[in-house]
Amino acid sequence: MKWLLIFGLLLAGCAPSTDSEALQAAAEAQVLDYKGEKLDSILKFRENSIKGPQYINIDTYSLKISGLISEEVNLTYEEVLTTRSSERLVTLHCVEGWDVKLLWEGIHLTDLLEAYGADKEASTIIFYAYDGYSTAMPYDFIKENDILLAYKMNGVDLPAERGFPFQLVAQTKYGYKWIKWVTEIEVSNNVDYLGFWEQRGYTNNAQVPASRLDGNGY
Ligand SMILES: Nc1nc2c(c(=O)[nH]1)N[C@H]1C(S)=C(S)[C@@H](COP(=O)(O)O)O[C@H]1N2
Ligand SMILES: [Mo]
């Protein structure tokens, strides 16, 4: 009995969670070079999400598009992925001072919103996530910067810890605008909406100072 207990404790203690094994596996499969430029590793992030990593079951997942659109829809992962996509080398800058330069692959958010009849005159897009996090930005910013909703980083599907299934690539904005585990996108005219960190004093604009951006403006 005693040995069984010790064996059980050993097993529990030694076995890292399957998800961190998945993250390690993703790190081994990632690309670290893009057109001659060196990328950072997907392990370089400092995990500091408000409720820790979220593990979304893709079989029950849906992305809701709501608000000022012709008709509210709930899309499956596969349905979102039918939208045109692109790759882009962009750095995420956290307000805490660290950053990660990665290759992102994602769908063009404006295409997705327009496909479901978003009001082109709407001022604001609000994003909600599985962990209760939220953030928002002007629709014009999204259009002008052709913002991507990423499903891959460094050539691998987003690991759970990094926001699977979708993370917003809010280029030139601080990391707190790069919402992970996105579950709903609301088309709105509420220019005053404040997300989780914005309500706690971080600027709603979240512009990264030009001195921190790279040669491509990211
Ligand atoms: N859903 C959700 N998305 C989020 C966060 C969060 O807590 N929850 N944190 C933000 C912050 S502050 C940063 S810097 C980036 C990267 O955070 P990470 O290093 O914890 O992955 O994710 C952003 N997206
Ligand atoms: Mo952050």
Side-chain angles (χ1 to χ4, degrees), residues 17 31 39 50-51 55 71 86-87 92-93 113 124 133 154 157 174 178 191 198 204 214:
S17 85
V31 299
L39 305 173
I50 56 163
K51 290 186 182 155
Y55 302 97
E71 202 185 333
S86 293
E87 289 186 326
L92 180 154
H93 303 266
L113 293 175
T124 309
Y133 193 83
N154 286 1
D157 288 345
Y174 277 123
W178 295 55
V191 291
E198 294 89 334
N204 195 23
D214 71 13

Side-chain angles (χ1 to χ4, degrees), residues 31 48 56 60 88 99-100 116 123 125 140 171 196 212:
V31 299
N48 54 8
I56 288 184
T60 52
R88 199 175 290 165
D99 40 55
V100 273
Y116 292 98
S123 67
I125 305 296
D140 278 347
Q171 58 196 50
F196 183 89
R212 265 189 84 177

